[in-house]
Amino acid sequence: MVKFKMYLDDETYEELKGEVAHYLVQCSMSYPLNIDNFAYKLGIEFIPYSELGKEARIFAMHTSQDGFLCEKNRVYASVFFNDEKKIERQNMSKMHEIGHYVLDHNSTRNKPDEEKEAESKFFARYAIIKKTPRRCPMTRIMF
């Protein structure tokens, strides 16, 4: 198995920065960023794994050790997250899943999953820390 880091092109990085700025302005957000309030304004519900029943928690952990997005036709969205992780990891996971939502990755079929993951990781990092290097490794792809 070979690991490598995926890079997005400069144009995509700039587009993602614009998306972050757009949604922060649309939701009247400022720094330091309150991720829970941001999600609320976007209509996204956060559900910690600890609130799930035993079988649902097993399913959630099998789906992702960090978190995942469930949405239905942009009518509702829930982010399930592992609240046993450190708070910084929880926040990064929450913002990563918000990235999938606002970038409409669930309806984007013509884009590889690795690219969607790289975009969401950049979105999260840029939104949270506001200063992301121009060329930043975003995704480890396993082969």
Side-chain angles (χ1 to χ4, degrees):
M1 241 186 249
V2 177
K3 293 181 184 180
F4 74 90
K5 297 175 184 188
M6 180 173 184
Y7 294 93
L8 300 168
D9 60 46
D10 290 342
E11 182 179 335
T12 302
Y13 284 129
E14 294 305 315
E15 288 172 5
L16 292 169
K17 290 177 185 178
E19 288 295 313
V20 169
H22 168 78
Y23 282 99
L24 293 178
V25 168
Q26 177 183 319
C27 294
S28 302
M29 301 302 297
S30 61
Y31 285 91
L33 186 60
N34 181 325
I35 296 170
D36 293 335
N37 191 32
F38 186 43
Y40 174 78
K41 289 181 176 188
L42 290 169
I44 299 171
E45 175 185 24
F46 286 142
I47 302 171
Y49 286 4
S50 65
E51 289 185 8
L52 303 174
K54 183 179 178 182
E55 288 183 28
R57 192 173 315 129
I58 291 169
F59 172 80
M61 289 296 286
H62 180 72
T63 301
S64 172
Q65 294 291 312
D66 294 313
F68 59 95
L69 170 69
C70 283
E71 69 168 296
K72 174 110 177 153
N73 300 326
R74 314 262 319 153
V75 174
Y76 72 83
S78 297
V79 169
F80 294 84
F81 68 98
N82 187 346
D83 52 329
E84 292 182 5
K85 299 281 186 171
K86 291 182 178 181
I87 192 70
E88 296 83 7
R89 179 72 242 158
Q90 291 177 40
N91 287 337
M92 190 61 75
S93 295
K94 289 175 181 178
M95 189 57 76
H96 174 89
E97 298 308 327
I98 288 172
H100 281 302
Y101 179 78
V102 301
L103 298 171
D104 203 17
H105 283 162
N106 282 347
S107 67
T108 309
R109 306 243 185 264
N110 61 343
K111 192 177 284 190
D113 288 344
E114 294 84 7
E115 187 175 348
K116 292 177 188 178
E117 287 301 311
E119 289 178 353
S120 290
K121 285 182 181 181
F122 182 85
F123 181 96
R125 289 178 178 175
Y126 190 77
I128 289 174
I129 63 176
K130 214 164 74 167
K131 286 186 177 179
T132 303
R134 187 172 155 102
R135 285 259 181 220
C136 182
M138 293 291 116
T139 302
R140 292 184 183 160
I141 303 170
M142 308 292 276
F143 289 101

